[in-house]
Amino acid sequence: MEKLNKQMDDALNTKVAALNATDDETGDGKVDALDLKHQLDRVEAQLELQDQQNRALLRSQKRLLWAAIAIVVVLCLIMGGLLLRFNTAYNQVITTCAQVNEIAGTLQDSLAKLDTEQLDSMMQTLPDIADKLSQIDVDALNDVMAKLPATMDAVAQLQQQLNSVASFLGNVGSIFG
């Protein structure tokens, strides 16, 4: 047993000596405060380097996060714009379908009210109407149709001015009357 204890003590002393040998920074054969200061300086340098690396990594991740947020915002804006366009187009299609259905209903009602003699008469005049329509200058008709809204706006403005003048004259008449 004593032999085993001696072997264990020798192994422990060898291990402590090996550790002390690697801890001897100055090479003077003993571990003292100067060796500990060198080790501390080395650890601080390693920590400072690790801190710089961590800060650079955090800056990089922060930039990537902001870029991802910007991309998501841009994509949301694009999707919102597309949704608005699709909604507008859908509403226009629904409105157009309702107008077509209304016209078809009106046409069906009109045809139902016609007697067969009137319908035959209309069908006989249809080729003459088609010939007359083929003689119409389409460009001139398109030009007139393009100018029609502006003309209607001008007529509406004139109506407003006439109403304003009539109102003014009515007020003047009530003052002197």
Side-chain angles (χ1 to χ4, degrees):
M1 180 78 164
E2 193 173 310
K3 188 175 182 179
L4 184 61
N5 283 341
K6 181 161 174 59
Q7 285 177 347
M8 289 182 73
D9 285 340
D10 288 341
L12 180 63
N13 287 336
T14 306
K15 185 73 169 166
V16 168
L19 288 173
N20 284 339
T22 58
D23 288 340
D24 185 17
E25 295 281 333
T26 57
D28 60 1
K30 60 182 178 175
V31 177
D32 54 3
L34 189 58
D35 292 327
L36 294 176
K37 172 134 179 43
H38 283 272
Q39 288 177 359
L40 182 64
D41 289 343
R42 188 173 63 246
V43 168
E44 284 177 350
Q46 288 173 345
L47 287 175
E48 185 177 334
L49 178 64
Q50 186 66 39
D51 183 55
Q52 290 173 356
Q53 290 172 345
N54 288 343
R55 288 180 190 271
L57 182 62
L58 285 175
R59 280 192 304 270
S60 173
Q61 288 177 346
K62 194 174 184 180
R63 280 189 218 118
L64 288 174
L65 177 67
W66 283 111
I69 289 171
I71 288 171
V72 167
V73 167
V74 167
L75 287 175
C76 286
L77 290 173
I78 289 171
M79 293 300 288
L82 286 175
L83 182 64
L84 183 65
R85 290 269 190 181
F86 286 143
N87 189 31
T88 303
Y90 174 76
N91 288 335
Q92 288 175 349
V93 166
I94 294 298
T95 302
T96 303
C97 288
Q99 290 171 349
V100 167
N101 286 338
E102 184 179 322
I103 290 170
T106 304
L107 182 61
Q108 185 67 31
D109 289 344
S110 296
L111 288 175
K113 291 178 183 176
L114 286 177
D115 63 358
T116 56
E117 290 177 15
Q118 286 178 328
L119 188 57
D120 286 340
S121 173
M122 288 174 67
M123 293 306 280
Q124 294 299 324
T125 58
L126 193 57
D128 293 335
I129 294 172
D131 286 339
K132 289 179 182 176
L133 285 175
S134 67
Q135 294 173 1
I136 292 177
D137 183 10
V138 176
D139 292 332
L141 183 61
N142 285 337
D143 189 38
V144 168
M145 292 303 287
K147 292 178 183 176
L148 186 61
T151 304
M152 294 304 290
D153 289 340
V155 168
Q157 288 176 353
L158 283 174
Q159 183 66 39
Q160 287 176 348
Q161 289 175 354
L162 283 174
N163 289 342
S164 174
V165 168
S167 174
F168 174 74
L169 290 176
N171 289 338
V172 169
S174 67
I175 290 173
F176 291 114

